[in-house]
Amino acid sequence: MMRTLRCAALVFGLAASAAHAATLVHNIRGYSLDGDQVQTFSALEFDKGVITHLYRDVASADASRAATRIDGFGATLLPGLIDAHGHVSSFGRALATVDLVGSSSEAEAARRVAHYIDAHPDRDWVEGRGWNQVLWPDKAFPARAALDAISGERAVVLGRVDGHALWVNSRALALAGIGAGTPDPDGGQILRDEQGQPTGVLIDNAMDLVTAVMPGPDVEALAALQYSALEKLASYGLTAVHDAGIPAREVEAYQQLLAEDRLPIRVYAMLDVRDPDNDRYLEQGPLVDAQHRLDIRSVKISADGALGSRGAALFDDYSDSSGNRGLLLHSRKELAHHMHRAVAAGYQVNTHAIGDRANALVLDLLEAVNSNSRSAALRHRVEHAQILRPADISRFPALNVIASVQPVHATSDMNMAGDRLGETRLRGAYAWESLLESGARMAGGSDFPVESPNPFHGLYAAVTRQDQAGRPPGGWLPKEKMSREAALALFTSGAAYAAHQEGVLGHLQPGYYADFILVDGDYFTLPENDLWQLQVKATYVAGEQVFPARSDADG
């Protein structure tokens, strides 16, 4: 059993008289959801990691015979939040490599790389992520020249903020064998200058040409990255995460952490269907941990790219790029093949689709797959469901397909989505409330490290449709605003359902795991503009405090 870590400021009372004596969390404002109804309580009791009682009033809580008491000091207690779409190892790498998020220009991004090289002169490969040319003055993609000027003989590989483009230097291109005569791979693009030479930007499947020659971390190193990432996620109030698309080595790393009892929060992992080494897990069938610390029962497939790099597959041309309709990363036949083999193995199919053409294609294929009732019971998901034809919105509930959305994408993309799509296509873009009203099952996430993993940023974006400066007034596409209850459900009960875990996670009620968080403000009564600033005081998984974590020196 993972060692219980408790912040001294939150604990008082007698030590437990028995190894599994009940614990009472009191002096709180407790909230949970029952459907769309908010339930309130003044204390929560758990034993052996499972909730045994909710006390509606202080008097009944005072009568509890729990041996251990945790004083919440007036904090708000919420169900543990679940991010239904993130990338854990990538987040771990982002914490340890060049951070380009928020860089204001190509030159500033290059300066950050130069500073990293100065601090790590022994690195043959320099990695980083987070650049976004849409935020730069000329909005143009960067070029290898800026990196060549600072990198020497090192290879430099920098991921775009959405993970669908790489910016690399000439050394990385040479090691990958990419030159003027290299053809674009299916589902990818090598950007070129007027002379046909690679500029240093690779879109979607073209990225594989470089990543294939990069040295990869071993299982031990991956486990270390995962652990550091999961610890950080706990600090944001996340008690579970759905890891979207992992290769076999990352499965091994997770299994190592599980065996060592070192998973700070729960992981619901999606196998990367492109990795042939994952076939052995498909052959074994779903891997479900008895305590749901590590469940592996789904696969991840990507149908298209992303909007920011113009890789999202559209029916019509990009409004700002004539003749360009984005990229389908697999043929219809290939997508169908991957879906059917996953279903045959009993795995849920979670397909990345951003553009309207990609979403329509995925829904068409899932309609065929779900003609089998056994398949429909697997609860297949569309990851992102970002740009939809209005007519396709009602297909989600009709086909029993879950929309796994990332609310903060709407407010991050609003500065370029209109340019890419035009006014007409925006009617079905980032349409979270429309999906909800259609009766669709939904789950919420962030797509970290594309976005911050802080779930309160996503909750704020879903409720206000504004950035953190309050822009635009009234919200962007304001008809798609969600209620606070509906937004919270995305990150609790909705995400639990999307992982087949709704019987034990996503609610606070007797029989469910004691996964909960204490925060410094009342989510339901705070002014809307303050929601994104809520701070987590403590995070508990199965009754064990995983944030804040004390050092061994604390005793």
Side-chain angles (χ1 to χ4, degrees), residues 240-514:
V241 61
H242 300 181
D243 197 350
I246 65 171
R249 281 194 305 169
E250 292 184 22
V251 176
E252 294 171 28
Y254 274 135
Q255 290 175 329
Q256 177 176 307
L257 290 175
L258 178 66
E260 296 171 352
D261 201 13
R262 295 180 61 235
L263 283 173
I265 67 175
R266 304 179 191 279
V267 176
Y268 183 82
M270 312 176 200
L271 300 178
D272 182 350
V273 77
R274 300 172 303 169
D275 183 2
D277 289 337
N278 273 332
D279 289 351
R280 67 179 185 268
Y281 298 115
L282 289 177
E283 292 169 2
Q284 292 176 36
L287 307 173
V288 179
D289 176 56
Q291 296 182 341
H292 299 289
R293 290 285 182 168
L294 175 64
D295 287 355
I296 305 174
R297 59 181 303 172
S298 62
V299 303
K300 166 79 179 302
I301 309 171
S302 289
D304 67 343
L307 192 65
S309 52
R310 298 189 184 89
L314 305 177
F315 279 108
D316 298 311
D317 293 356
Y318 277 83
S319 296
D320 58 358
S321 182
S322 179
N324 183 4
R325 297 186 177 184
L327 299 167
L328 286 173
L329 305 187
H330 301 280
S331 69
R332 184 188 186 97
K333 182 178 180 180
E334 289 170 337
L335 277 175
H337 167 71
H338 289 309
M339 288 180 177
H340 281 286
R341 73 188 185 98
V343 168
Y347 278 72
Q348 177 190 55
V349 176
N350 302 338
T351 310
H352 162 118
I354 289 183
D356 55 7
R357 180 162 56 118
N359 275 283
L361 172 60
V362 171
L363 290 171
D364 287 346
L365 293 174
L366 289 177
E367 183 172 9
V369 169
N370 276 354
S371 61
N372 180 319
S373 60
R374 177 175 173 272
S375 173
L378 295 174
R379 303 180 185 176
H380 306 306
R381 298 163 41 167
V382 175
E383 304 298 316
H384 310 306
Q386 201 161 290
I387 303 156
L388 303 170
R389 296 179 300 184
D392 283 332
I393 290 174
S394 61
R395 298 182 70 193
F396 281 83
L399 298 177
N400 192 33
V401 173
I402 297 167
S404 175
V405 304
Q406 298 74 47
V408 76
H409 279 344
T411 50
S412 293
D413 291 358
M414 65 185 180
N415 62 349
M416 59 85 178
D419 293 338
R420 297 284 193 272
L421 300 173
E423 183 176 350
T424 299
R425 282 184 290 199
L426 284 179
R427 294 171 189 165
Y430 310 87
W432 317 144
E433 179 65 14
S434 294
L435 280 163
L436 184 68
E437 291 176 355
S438 77
R441 293 274 192 174
M442 300 179 69
S446 66
D447 201 12
F448 68 79
V450 175
E451 306 280 3
S452 166
N454 188 330
F456 292 104
H457 293 183
L459 291 165
Y460 167 79
V463 170
T464 67
R465 305 286 291 199
Q466 294 176 318
D467 66 18
Q468 292 166 9
R471 297 184 298 253
W476 183 63
L477 304 177
K479 291 183 179 179
E480 298 300 337
K481 290 181 180 181
M482 303 183 81
S483 70
R484 297 191 197 204
E485 293 84 356
L488 184 60
L490 291 180
F491 290 87
T492 55
S493 57
Y497 179 86
H500 297 267
Q501 296 169 340
E502 74 278 8
V504 290
L505 300 178
H507 295 282
L508 296 177
Q509 63 187 52
Y512 278 63
Y513 281 113

Side-chain angles (χ1 to χ4, degrees), residues 208-225:
D208 296 343
L209 302 174
V210 168
T211 57
V213 299
M214 292 176 64
D218 59 20
V219 171
E220 291 284 343
L222 279 170
L225 290 174

